[in-house]
Short mmCIF file of all heavy atoms in Angstrom, two decimals:
data_model
loop_
_atom_site.label_atom_id
_atom_site.label_comp_id
_atom_site.label_asym_id
_atom_site.label_seq_id
_atom_site.Cartn_x
_atom_site.Cartn_y
_atom_site.Cartn_z
N MET Q 275 14.17 -45.79 -101.36
CA MET Q 275 13.39 -46.90 -101.84
C MET Q 275 12.88 -47.67 -100.62
O MET Q 275 13.64 -48.02 -99.73
CB MET Q 275 14.26 -47.79 -102.72
CG MET Q 275 13.53 -48.97 -103.28
SD MET Q 275 14.47 -49.92 -104.47
CE MET Q 275 14.65 -48.75 -105.76
N SER Q 276 11.60 -47.98 -100.65
CA SER Q 276 11.00 -48.63 -99.48
C SER Q 276 11.27 -50.14 -99.50
O SER Q 276 11.55 -50.72 -100.55
CB SER Q 276 9.50 -48.38 -99.48
OG SER Q 276 8.87 -49.13 -100.49
N PRO Q 277 11.18 -50.76 -98.35
CA PRO Q 277 11.39 -52.21 -98.29
C PRO Q 277 10.36 -52.98 -99.11
O PRO Q 277 10.65 -54.05 -99.64
CB PRO Q 277 11.26 -52.54 -96.81
CG PRO Q 277 11.50 -51.26 -96.10
CD PRO Q 277 11.06 -50.18 -97.03
N TYR Q 278 9.16 -52.44 -99.21
CA TYR Q 278 8.12 -53.10 -99.99
C TYR Q 278 8.50 -53.16 -101.47
O TYR Q 278 8.29 -54.16 -102.13
CB TYR Q 278 6.78 -52.39 -99.82
CG TYR Q 278 6.24 -52.48 -98.42
CD1 TYR Q 278 6.05 -51.34 -97.66
CD2 TYR Q 278 5.95 -53.72 -97.84
CE1 TYR Q 278 5.57 -51.42 -96.36
CE2 TYR Q 278 5.46 -53.80 -96.56
CZ TYR Q 278 5.27 -52.66 -95.82
OH TYR Q 278 4.80 -52.74 -94.55
N THR Q 279 9.06 -52.11 -101.98
CA THR Q 279 9.49 -52.07 -103.37
C THR Q 279 10.60 -53.09 -103.62
O THR Q 279 10.60 -53.79 -104.64
CB THR Q 279 9.99 -50.67 -103.74
OG1 THR Q 279 8.97 -49.72 -103.42
CG2 THR Q 279 10.32 -50.57 -105.21
N ILE Q 280 11.51 -53.20 -102.68
CA ILE Q 280 12.60 -54.16 -102.81
C ILE Q 280 12.06 -55.58 -102.79
O ILE Q 280 12.44 -56.42 -103.62
CB ILE Q 280 13.64 -53.95 -101.70
CG1 ILE Q 280 14.33 -52.60 -101.88
CG2 ILE Q 280 14.67 -55.07 -101.69
CD1 ILE Q 280 15.19 -52.19 -100.72
N LEU Q 281 11.14 -55.87 -101.87
CA LEU Q 281 10.57 -57.22 -101.79
C LEU Q 281 9.77 -57.57 -103.04
O LEU Q 281 9.83 -58.71 -103.53
CB LEU Q 281 9.69 -57.34 -100.55
CG LEU Q 281 10.43 -57.41 -99.23
CD1 LEU Q 281 9.45 -57.41 -98.06
CD2 LEU Q 281 11.31 -58.63 -99.18
N ILE Q 282 9.02 -56.63 -103.55
CA ILE Q 282 8.26 -56.87 -104.78
C ILE Q 282 9.21 -57.12 -105.94
O ILE Q 282 9.00 -58.02 -106.75
CB ILE Q 282 7.30 -55.70 -105.06
CG1 ILE Q 282 6.17 -55.70 -104.04
CG2 ILE Q 282 6.74 -55.79 -106.48
CD1 ILE Q 282 5.29 -54.48 -104.09
N GLY Q 283 10.27 -56.33 -106.03
CA GLY Q 283 11.24 -56.52 -107.10
C GLY Q 283 11.94 -57.86 -107.03
O GLY Q 283 12.10 -58.54 -108.05
N LEU Q 284 12.33 -58.28 -105.84
CA LEU Q 284 12.98 -59.58 -105.68
C LEU Q 284 12.02 -60.72 -105.99
O LEU Q 284 12.41 -61.72 -106.61
CB LEU Q 284 13.56 -59.71 -104.28
CG LEU Q 284 14.75 -58.81 -103.97
CD1 LEU Q 284 15.14 -58.95 -102.50
CD2 LEU Q 284 15.91 -59.14 -104.87
N SER Q 285 10.78 -60.59 -105.56
CA SER Q 285 9.78 -61.61 -105.87
C SER Q 285 9.53 -61.70 -107.37
O SER Q 285 9.40 -62.79 -107.92
CB SER Q 285 8.47 -61.30 -105.16
OG SER Q 285 8.67 -61.27 -103.77
N LEU Q 286 9.49 -60.56 -108.01
CA LEU Q 286 9.30 -60.54 -109.45
C LEU Q 286 10.49 -61.19 -110.17
O LEU Q 286 10.31 -61.92 -111.15
CB LEU Q 286 9.11 -59.11 -109.94
CG LEU Q 286 8.83 -58.90 -111.41
CD1 LEU Q 286 7.53 -59.57 -111.79
CD2 LEU Q 286 8.76 -57.42 -111.73
N ALA Q 287 11.69 -60.98 -109.66
CA ALA Q 287 12.87 -61.60 -110.26
C ALA Q 287 12.81 -63.12 -110.14
O ALA Q 287 13.16 -63.84 -111.08
CB ALA Q 287 14.14 -61.07 -109.59
N VAL Q 288 12.33 -63.64 -109.00
CA VAL Q 288 12.21 -65.08 -108.83
C VAL Q 288 11.16 -65.65 -109.77
O VAL Q 288 11.38 -66.69 -110.41
CB VAL Q 288 11.87 -65.41 -107.35
CG1 VAL Q 288 11.48 -66.87 -107.19
CG2 VAL Q 288 13.04 -65.08 -106.46
N VAL Q 289 10.02 -64.98 -109.88
CA VAL Q 289 8.96 -65.45 -110.78
C VAL Q 289 9.43 -65.42 -112.23
O VAL Q 289 9.20 -66.37 -112.99
CB VAL Q 289 7.67 -64.62 -110.58
CG1 VAL Q 289 6.65 -64.92 -111.64
CG2 VAL Q 289 7.10 -64.89 -109.19
N LEU Q 290 10.10 -64.36 -112.63
CA LEU Q 290 10.60 -64.28 -114.01
C LEU Q 290 11.65 -65.34 -114.28
O LEU Q 290 11.68 -65.93 -115.37
CB LEU Q 290 11.16 -62.89 -114.29
CG LEU Q 290 10.14 -61.78 -114.47
CD1 LEU Q 290 10.84 -60.43 -114.63
CD2 LEU Q 290 9.25 -62.06 -115.67
N SER Q 291 12.48 -65.63 -113.31
CA SER Q 291 13.48 -66.68 -113.46
C SER Q 291 12.80 -68.03 -113.67
O SER Q 291 13.21 -68.82 -114.52
CB SER Q 291 14.38 -66.73 -112.23
OG SER Q 291 15.22 -67.84 -112.29
N TYR Q 292 11.76 -68.29 -112.92
CA TYR Q 292 11.02 -69.54 -113.07
C TYR Q 292 10.36 -69.61 -114.45
O TYR Q 292 10.38 -70.66 -115.10
CB TYR Q 292 9.97 -69.66 -111.97
CG TYR Q 292 9.15 -70.91 -112.05
CD1 TYR Q 292 9.71 -72.15 -111.78
CD2 TYR Q 292 7.81 -70.85 -112.42
CE1 TYR Q 292 8.97 -73.30 -111.86
CE2 TYR Q 292 7.05 -72.01 -112.50
CZ TYR Q 292 7.63 -73.23 -112.23
OH TYR Q 292 6.89 -74.36 -112.32
N LEU Q 293 9.78 -68.50 -114.90
CA LEU Q 293 9.15 -68.49 -116.22
C LEU Q 293 10.17 -68.69 -117.33
O LEU Q 293 9.90 -69.39 -118.32
CB LEU Q 293 8.38 -67.18 -116.43
CG LEU Q 293 7.14 -67.01 -115.57
CD1 LEU Q 293 6.53 -65.63 -115.79
CD2 LEU Q 293 6.13 -68.10 -115.86
N PHE Q 294 11.36 -68.10 -117.19
CA PHE Q 294 12.42 -68.32 -118.17
C PHE Q 294 12.85 -69.79 -118.18
O PHE Q 294 13.14 -70.35 -119.22
CB PHE Q 294 13.62 -67.43 -117.92
CG PHE Q 294 13.50 -66.07 -118.54
CD1 PHE Q 294 13.71 -64.94 -117.78
CD2 PHE Q 294 13.20 -65.92 -119.88
CE1 PHE Q 294 13.61 -63.69 -118.35
CE2 PHE Q 294 13.09 -64.67 -120.45
CZ PHE Q 294 13.30 -63.55 -119.68
N ASP Q 295 12.89 -70.40 -117.00
CA ASP Q 295 13.25 -71.81 -116.93
C ASP Q 295 12.20 -72.68 -117.62
O ASP Q 295 12.53 -73.61 -118.36
CB ASP Q 295 13.42 -72.23 -115.47
CG ASP Q 295 13.93 -73.64 -115.32
OD1 ASP Q 295 14.92 -73.97 -116.03
OD2 ASP Q 295 13.36 -74.41 -114.52
N LEU Q 296 10.93 -72.37 -117.40
CA LEU Q 296 9.86 -73.10 -118.09
C LEU Q 296 9.92 -72.90 -119.60
O LEU Q 296 9.74 -73.84 -120.37
CB LEU Q 296 8.49 -72.66 -117.56
CG LEU Q 296 8.12 -73.11 -116.17
CD1 LEU Q 296 6.75 -72.57 -115.80
CD2 LEU Q 296 8.13 -74.62 -116.07
N ALA Q 297 10.18 -71.67 -120.02
CA ALA Q 297 10.28 -71.39 -121.45
C ALA Q 297 11.46 -72.12 -122.07
O ALA Q 297 11.37 -72.63 -123.18
CB ALA Q 297 10.40 -69.89 -121.69
N ALA Q 298 12.56 -72.21 -121.34
CA ALA Q 298 13.74 -72.90 -121.85
C ALA Q 298 13.47 -74.40 -121.99
O ALA Q 298 13.89 -75.02 -122.97
CB ALA Q 298 14.93 -72.67 -120.92
N LYS Q 299 12.75 -74.97 -121.05
CA LYS Q 299 12.42 -76.39 -121.14
C LYS Q 299 11.42 -76.66 -122.24
O LYS Q 299 11.51 -77.67 -122.95
CB LYS Q 299 11.87 -76.88 -119.81
CG LYS Q 299 12.92 -77.01 -118.73
CD LYS Q 299 12.32 -77.50 -117.45
CE LYS Q 299 13.38 -77.56 -116.36
NZ LYS Q 299 12.82 -77.96 -115.07
N ALA Q 300 10.44 -75.78 -122.42
CA ALA Q 300 9.39 -75.99 -123.41
C ALA Q 300 9.91 -75.82 -124.84
O ALA Q 300 9.49 -76.53 -125.75
CB ALA Q 300 8.22 -75.04 -123.17
N THR Q 301 10.80 -74.89 -125.04
CA THR Q 301 11.29 -74.60 -126.39
C THR Q 301 12.60 -75.31 -126.71
O THR Q 301 13.08 -75.22 -127.82
CB THR Q 301 11.50 -73.09 -126.58
OG1 THR Q 301 12.47 -72.63 -125.63
CG2 THR Q 301 10.21 -72.33 -126.41
N LYS Q 302 13.17 -75.99 -125.72
CA LYS Q 302 14.46 -76.67 -125.87
C LYS Q 302 15.58 -75.71 -126.24
O LYS Q 302 16.57 -76.07 -126.84
CB LYS Q 302 14.39 -77.79 -126.92
CG LYS Q 302 13.31 -78.80 -126.69
CD LYS Q 302 13.62 -79.68 -125.51
CE LYS Q 302 12.62 -80.81 -125.47
NZ LYS Q 302 12.05 -81.05 -124.21
N VAL Q 303 15.39 -74.45 -125.89
CA VAL Q 303 16.42 -73.42 -126.08
C VAL Q 303 17.19 -73.31 -124.77
O VAL Q 303 16.58 -73.15 -123.72
CB VAL Q 303 15.78 -72.06 -126.45
CG1 VAL Q 303 16.81 -70.97 -126.50
CG2 VAL Q 303 15.04 -72.17 -127.76
N PRO Q 304 18.49 -73.41 -124.82
CA PRO Q 304 19.26 -73.29 -123.56
C PRO Q 304 19.02 -71.94 -122.89
O PRO Q 304 18.84 -70.91 -123.55
CB PRO Q 304 20.71 -73.42 -124.00
CG PRO Q 304 20.66 -74.08 -125.33
CD PRO Q 304 19.35 -73.68 -125.95
N SER Q 305 19.01 -71.96 -121.58
CA SER Q 305 18.75 -70.72 -120.84
C SER Q 305 19.85 -69.69 -121.06
O SER Q 305 19.63 -68.49 -120.88
CB SER Q 305 18.59 -71.02 -119.35
OG SER Q 305 19.75 -71.65 -118.85
N VAL Q 306 21.03 -70.14 -121.48
CA VAL Q 306 22.12 -69.20 -121.78
C VAL Q 306 21.73 -68.30 -122.96
O VAL Q 306 22.04 -67.10 -122.96
CB VAL Q 306 23.42 -69.96 -122.08
CG1 VAL Q 306 24.48 -69.05 -122.63
CG2 VAL Q 306 23.90 -70.67 -120.84
N LEU Q 307 21.01 -68.85 -123.93
CA LEU Q 307 20.57 -68.02 -125.05
C LEU Q 307 19.54 -66.99 -124.61
O LEU Q 307 19.51 -65.88 -125.13
CB LEU Q 307 20.00 -68.90 -126.16
CG LEU Q 307 21.03 -69.76 -126.89
CD1 LEU Q 307 20.35 -70.60 -127.96
CD2 LEU Q 307 22.13 -68.92 -127.48
N LEU Q 308 18.69 -67.36 -123.65
CA LEU Q 308 17.75 -66.38 -123.10
C LEU Q 308 18.51 -65.28 -122.37
O LEU Q 308 18.15 -64.10 -122.44
CB LEU Q 308 16.76 -67.05 -122.16
CG LEU Q 308 15.75 -68.00 -122.82
CD1 LEU Q 308 14.92 -68.69 -121.75
CD2 LEU Q 308 14.86 -67.25 -123.78
N LEU Q 309 19.58 -65.65 -121.68
CA LEU Q 309 20.42 -64.66 -121.02
C LEU Q 309 21.05 -63.72 -122.04
O LEU Q 309 21.05 -62.50 -121.87
CB LEU Q 309 21.50 -65.35 -120.19
CG LEU Q 309 22.56 -64.44 -119.56
CD1 LEU Q 309 21.92 -63.57 -118.50
CD2 LEU Q 309 23.67 -65.28 -118.99
N LEU Q 310 21.57 -64.29 -123.11
CA LEU Q 310 22.17 -63.46 -124.16
C LEU Q 310 21.14 -62.56 -124.82
O LEU Q 310 21.44 -61.42 -125.19
CB LEU Q 310 22.87 -64.34 -125.20
CG LEU Q 310 24.10 -65.08 -124.70
CD1 LEU Q 310 24.64 -65.99 -125.79
CD2 LEU Q 310 25.17 -64.11 -124.24
N ALA Q 311 19.91 -63.06 -124.97
CA ALA Q 311 18.85 -62.22 -125.53
C ALA Q 311 18.56 -61.03 -124.61
O ALA Q 311 18.32 -59.91 -125.07
CB ALA Q 311 17.59 -63.05 -125.74
N GLY Q 312 18.59 -61.26 -123.30
CA GLY Q 312 18.40 -60.17 -122.34
C GLY Q 312 19.51 -59.15 -122.40
O GLY Q 312 19.28 -57.94 -122.33
N ILE Q 313 20.74 -59.62 -122.56
CA ILE Q 313 21.88 -58.71 -122.69
C ILE Q 313 21.75 -57.90 -123.98
O ILE Q 313 21.99 -56.69 -123.99
CB ILE Q 313 23.20 -59.48 -122.62
CG1 ILE Q 313 23.39 -60.05 -121.23
CG2 ILE Q 313 24.38 -58.60 -123.01
CD1 ILE Q 313 24.55 -61.01 -121.10
N ALA Q 314 21.36 -58.57 -125.07
CA ALA Q 314 21.18 -57.87 -126.34
C ALA Q 314 20.07 -56.83 -126.23
O ALA Q 314 20.18 -55.73 -126.78
CB ALA Q 314 20.87 -58.87 -127.45
N PHE Q 315 19.01 -57.16 -125.51
CA PHE Q 315 17.92 -56.19 -125.31
C PHE Q 315 18.43 -54.97 -124.55
O PHE Q 315 18.10 -53.83 -124.89
CB PHE Q 315 16.77 -56.85 -124.54
CG PHE Q 315 15.65 -55.91 -124.22
CD1 PHE Q 315 14.77 -55.49 -125.19
CD2 PHE Q 315 15.49 -55.44 -122.92
CE1 PHE Q 315 13.74 -54.61 -124.89
CE2 PHE Q 315 14.47 -54.57 -122.61
CZ PHE Q 315 13.59 -54.15 -123.60
N GLY Q 316 19.24 -55.20 -123.54
CA GLY Q 316 19.81 -54.09 -122.78
C GLY Q 316 20.70 -53.20 -123.64
O GLY Q 316 20.66 -51.97 -123.53
N GLN Q 317 21.50 -53.81 -124.50
CA GLN Q 317 22.36 -53.04 -125.39
C GLN Q 317 21.53 -52.26 -126.41
O GLN Q 317 21.87 -51.12 -126.74
CB GLN Q 317 23.35 -53.97 -126.10
CG GLN Q 317 24.35 -54.61 -125.17
CD GLN Q 317 25.26 -53.59 -124.53
OE1 GLN Q 317 25.71 -52.65 -125.16
NE2 GLN Q 317 25.53 -53.78 -123.26
N ALA Q 318 20.46 -52.87 -126.92
CA ALA Q 318 19.61 -52.20 -127.90
C ALA Q 318 18.90 -50.99 -127.28
O ALA Q 318 18.79 -49.94 -127.91
CB ALA Q 318 18.58 -53.17 -128.48
N THR Q 319 18.43 -51.14 -126.04
CA THR Q 319 17.77 -50.01 -125.40
C THR Q 319 18.74 -48.87 -125.14
O THR Q 319 18.36 -47.71 -125.21
CB THR Q 319 17.11 -50.44 -124.08
OG1 THR Q 319 18.09 -51.00 -123.22
CG2 THR Q 319 15.99 -51.43 -124.31
N ALA Q 320 19.98 -49.20 -124.85
CA ALA Q 320 20.99 -48.16 -124.65
C ALA Q 320 21.33 -47.47 -125.97
O ALA Q 320 21.51 -46.25 -126.02
CB ALA Q 320 22.24 -48.74 -124.01
N TYR Q 321 21.42 -48.24 -127.04
CA TYR Q 321 21.78 -47.69 -128.34
C TYR Q 321 20.70 -46.75 -128.88
O TYR Q 321 21.00 -45.68 -129.39
CB TYR Q 321 22.04 -48.83 -129.33
CG TYR Q 321 22.42 -48.35 -130.71
CD1 TYR Q 321 23.70 -47.87 -130.96
CD2 TYR Q 321 21.50 -48.39 -131.75
CE1 TYR Q 321 24.06 -47.44 -132.22
CE2 TYR Q 321 21.85 -47.96 -133.02
CZ TYR Q 321 23.13 -47.49 -133.26
OH TYR Q 321 23.47 -47.06 -134.51
N TRP Q 322 19.42 -47.18 -128.75
CA TRP Q 322 18.33 -46.36 -129.28
C TRP Q 322 17.72 -45.43 -128.23
O TRP Q 322 16.69 -44.82 -128.48
CB TRP Q 322 17.26 -47.25 -129.89
CG TRP Q 322 17.65 -47.77 -131.24
CD1 TRP Q 322 17.94 -47.03 -132.33
CD2 TRP Q 322 17.83 -49.13 -131.63
NE1 TRP Q 322 18.27 -47.85 -133.38
CE2 TRP Q 322 18.22 -49.15 -132.98
CE3 TRP Q 322 17.69 -50.34 -130.96
CZ2 TRP Q 322 18.46 -50.32 -133.66
CZ3 TRP Q 322 17.94 -51.50 -131.66
CH2 TRP Q 322 18.32 -51.48 -132.99
N HIS Q 323 18.34 -45.35 -127.07
CA HIS Q 323 17.92 -44.43 -126.00
C HIS Q 323 16.48 -44.65 -125.58
O HIS Q 323 15.72 -43.70 -125.39
CB HIS Q 323 18.13 -42.97 -126.41
CG HIS Q 323 19.52 -42.66 -126.85
ND1 HIS Q 323 20.58 -42.65 -125.97
CD2 HIS Q 323 20.04 -42.40 -128.07
CE1 HIS Q 323 21.69 -42.37 -126.63
NE2 HIS Q 323 21.39 -42.23 -127.92
N TRP Q 324 16.08 -45.92 -125.45
CA TRP Q 324 14.76 -46.24 -124.93
C TRP Q 324 14.82 -46.20 -123.42
O TRP Q 324 15.72 -46.77 -122.81
CB TRP Q 324 14.31 -47.62 -125.37
CG TRP Q 324 14.05 -47.74 -126.84
CD1 TRP Q 324 13.75 -46.75 -127.71
CD2 TRP Q 324 14.09 -48.94 -127.62
NE1 TRP Q 324 13.59 -47.25 -128.97
CE2 TRP Q 324 13.79 -48.60 -128.94
CE3 TRP Q 324 14.33 -50.26 -127.31
CZ2 TRP Q 324 13.73 -49.53 -129.95
CZ3 TRP Q 324 14.27 -51.19 -128.32
CH2 TRP Q 324 13.96 -50.83 -129.62
N PRO Q 325 13.88 -45.55 -122.79
CA PRO Q 325 13.94 -45.43 -121.32
C PRO Q 325 13.47 -46.70 -120.61
O PRO Q 325 12.28 -46.95 -120.45
CB PRO Q 325 13.02 -44.25 -121.03
CG PRO Q 325 12.05 -44.26 -122.15
CD PRO Q 325 12.79 -44.78 -123.35
N VAL Q 326 14.39 -47.54 -120.21
CA VAL Q 326 14.09 -48.72 -119.39
C VAL Q 326 14.85 -48.54 -118.09
O VAL Q 326 16.07 -48.48 -118.08
CB VAL Q 326 14.54 -50.02 -120.11
CG1 VAL Q 326 14.26 -51.22 -119.23
CG2 VAL Q 326 13.85 -50.16 -121.45
N HIS Q 327 14.11 -48.45 -117.01
CA HIS Q 327 14.73 -48.14 -115.72
C HIS Q 327 14.57 -49.34 -114.77
O HIS Q 327 13.48 -49.86 -114.59
CB HIS Q 327 14.08 -46.92 -115.08
CG HIS Q 327 14.19 -45.70 -115.94
ND1 HIS Q 327 15.36 -45.01 -116.08
CD2 HIS Q 327 13.29 -45.06 -116.71
CE1 HIS Q 327 15.17 -43.99 -116.91
NE2 HIS Q 327 13.91 -44.02 -117.31
N PHE Q 328 15.69 -49.78 -114.21
CA PHE Q 328 15.69 -50.82 -113.19
C PHE Q 328 16.31 -50.21 -111.94
O PHE Q 328 17.31 -49.53 -112.01
CB PHE Q 328 16.53 -52.03 -113.63
CG PHE Q 328 15.97 -52.75 -114.82
CD1 PHE Q 328 16.57 -52.63 -116.05
CD2 PHE Q 328 14.84 -53.53 -114.68
CE1 PHE Q 328 16.06 -53.30 -117.15
CE2 PHE Q 328 14.32 -54.21 -115.77
CZ PHE Q 328 14.93 -54.10 -117.01
N PRO Q 329 15.70 -50.49 -110.80
CA PRO Q 329 16.29 -49.98 -109.55
C PRO Q 329 17.70 -50.55 -109.35
O PRO Q 329 17.91 -51.74 -109.53
CB PRO Q 329 15.35 -50.48 -108.48
CG PRO Q 329 14.07 -50.79 -109.18
CD PRO Q 329 14.45 -51.18 -110.57
N PRO Q 330 18.66 -49.73 -108.99
CA PRO Q 330 20.03 -50.20 -108.83
C PRO Q 330 20.17 -51.30 -107.77
O PRO Q 330 21.06 -52.13 -107.87
CB PRO Q 330 20.80 -48.95 -108.39
CG PRO Q 330 19.95 -47.81 -108.78
CD PRO Q 330 18.54 -48.30 -108.80
N VAL Q 331 19.28 -51.33 -106.80
CA VAL Q 331 19.37 -52.35 -105.75
C VAL Q 331 19.11 -53.74 -106.33
O VAL Q 331 19.64 -54.73 -105.83
CB VAL Q 331 18.42 -52.02 -104.59
CG1 VAL Q 331 16.97 -52.25 -104.98
CG2 VAL Q 331 18.78 -52.83 -103.38
N LEU Q 332 18.34 -53.84 -107.40
CA LEU Q 332 18.08 -55.14 -108.02
C LEU Q 332 19.25 -55.60 -108.85
O LEU Q 332 19.47 -56.79 -109.02
CB LEU Q 332 16.82 -55.07 -108.89
CG LEU Q 332 15.51 -54.84 -108.18
CD1 LEU Q 332 14.37 -54.77 -109.17
CD2 LEU Q 332 15.26 -55.94 -107.18
N LEU Q 333 20.00 -54.67 -109.39
CA LEU Q 333 21.13 -55.04 -110.22
C LEU Q 333 22.32 -55.39 -109.37
O LEU Q 333 23.16 -56.14 -109.71
CB LEU Q 333 21.47 -53.88 -111.17
CG LEU Q 333 20.35 -53.45 -112.09
CD1 LEU Q 333 20.78 -52.25 -112.91
CD2 LEU Q 333 19.94 -54.57 -113.01
#
């Protein structure tokens, strides 16, 4: 994996974190529920064998 891919992935993680924070403030939904929704999405993709691939370096 190239350094450019890692930098893009980390930058994307920061931007997504900021967007989740804005969404949490706008909807008055605690960010913990957004976290749980992400975990549930991960479990659903594993259960139904949907191909969602994340580079291991980001995890």
Side-chain angles (χ1 to χ4, degrees):
M275 181 173 295
S276 72
Y278 295 118
T279 306
I280 294 170
L281 288 175
I282 290 171
L284 291 175
S285 300
L286 184 62
V288 169
V289 170
L290 286 176
S291 172
Y292 179 70
L293 291 176
F294 274 128
D295 186 48
L296 288 179
K299 287 180 183 177
T301 60
K302 306 289 189 227
V303 174
S305 58
V306 170
L307 291 179
L308 292 175
L309 173 67
L310 293 176
I313 292 171
F315 177 74
Q317 294 295 319
T319 58
Y321 179 76
W322 283 300
H323 306 291
W324 293 337
V326 178
H327 301 285
F328 295 106
V331 72
L332 293 179
L333 301 176

